[in-house]
Amino acid sequence: FSTNHPAPVGVVAIRNSAYSRAMRTLSERDASALLRFVSDLHDLGEASPFPPRLLASLHELVPSSEVGYSELDPVAQASVLQVWHNPEGEDVVVAGNGDPSDEEESRLWWRLRPTHPVCGYRQATRDWTTPYKTSDFATLREFRRTPIYDAFYRGLLDHWLDVGLPATATRTRVFILTRHGGRDFDERDKLVLDLLRPHLSARAEAVAAAERAAAALADLERGADDGATRVVLLSAQGVIEFVSPSARELLARYLGAESGRVPHELLARGEFLLERDGRRLQARVARTGGRHVLLLDERDMRIEGLTARERQILEHVACGKANDEIAFTLGIARATVAKHLERVY
C-alpha cells in the first residue's frame, strides 16, 4: 500500500520509516484482509462510490457497531449523501436531507457540531484526511458531557473513529465508525484506515469522473434528434452508470436489463445485433478509461416487408398528405389508398 497513491493489488509500498515501524504492528492476517479489501474496491461494479456492502467489508476490517459514509455541504449546512451499514440492523442510503420533518433536528446538529471532539477539530483545522478518534481529544467522560453527545449520541455510541477524503468548501466526505460500549478503537484501527484512505480516494475520483462523463453524454443526447444513436456508459464489469430513458427502454426490450447490468459475453464481442418484434438493435462497444461505452442504434425492419406501392404511399403520408390527395396524385381510388395504409399501419 502507498500512503499517497494506490498501489497494484498484491504490492505493499511503504513510503517512510514511520509507516515501516507501524506496519510491524499489523498481523499477517490484517495485511491479507487489507489486500482483499483493496481488490474488492478495485472490482466494485456499482455506480455508487461506497455502497453498503463495501461498508460491510470495512466493518470486517475494523469491527464496529455501525459504519457510515457521510457527504455534507458545510456552506448550505445540508446532507448530500448518507450511507450506513449496521451489522445487526438494516442498511440505510439517503440522498439529500431526507425527511423534511427532521429539519429542526438537522439545524440543531449543525449548531452543536463544533462541540464534537473530532468534528470540531476538523472544522477548525481543515484536516480531513488524518484518522482520529474521539479519545484523541477527550476522555469518554468528557465526550459524554458534550452537548452533541447529550442531544444525539447518548445510549447509541461511546467511541468514534473517522477518516475523511480531501474536502472542498462545499463538500466533506467522511467514513465514520462507531462503537456502543466495549473497548475503544486503537492505533491499529487508525492505521488500517490511513492505509485504505488513498484507495478510497481513488475510488471516489473514478466515480466522479464517470459522473462527469455521464453528464456530458446526457447533454449530447439531449441535443440530438430522435433518430440519433443512443449512448450508454458502463463500468468495466458491465454495470450501467449512465443511460437515458430512451436507451434504458431499448436495453429492457432487447436484453431485459432491468438489473442494471449488460452481460459481459455481449460486451466482449465488440459489436452485436439483436432482433425483436420486427425491429433490430445494433450495439457497438468501445472501451475507454476502464469503462465501456455502448452505442445503440435501432432500425424498424418491418418497413422492408412493404410493397413498392405501400412504400410510395407511406412516403406521401410522411409528407403530410391526406388520403384524397394521395389518391389524386397516384391516380388510384381513395379506398385503395386506405387499404394499403391499413396494412402499413
Side-chain angles (χ1 to χ4, degrees), residues 168-207:
T168 66
T170 58
R171 184 68 55 89
T172 62
R173 303 171 294 172
V174 179
F175 293 87
I176 304 167
L177 299 87
T178 66
R179 288 176 182 168
H180 183 209
R183 67 179 182 85
D184 190 7
F185 296 99
D186 56 25
E187 293 305 308
R188 174 264 179 199
D189 301 327
K190 291 170 64 176
L191 177 59
V192 167
L193 292 188
D194 205 24
L195 292 170
L196 289 179
R197 179 186 50 75
H199 302 275
L200 295 168
S201 183
R203 164 70 184 173
E205 293 309 313
V207 171

Side-chain angles (χ1 to χ4, degrees), residues 322-337:
N323 287 10
D324 288 340
E325 190 177 0
I326 296 172
F328 179 79
T329 301
L330 298 180
I332 58 178
R334 184 182 186 282
T336 304
V337 173

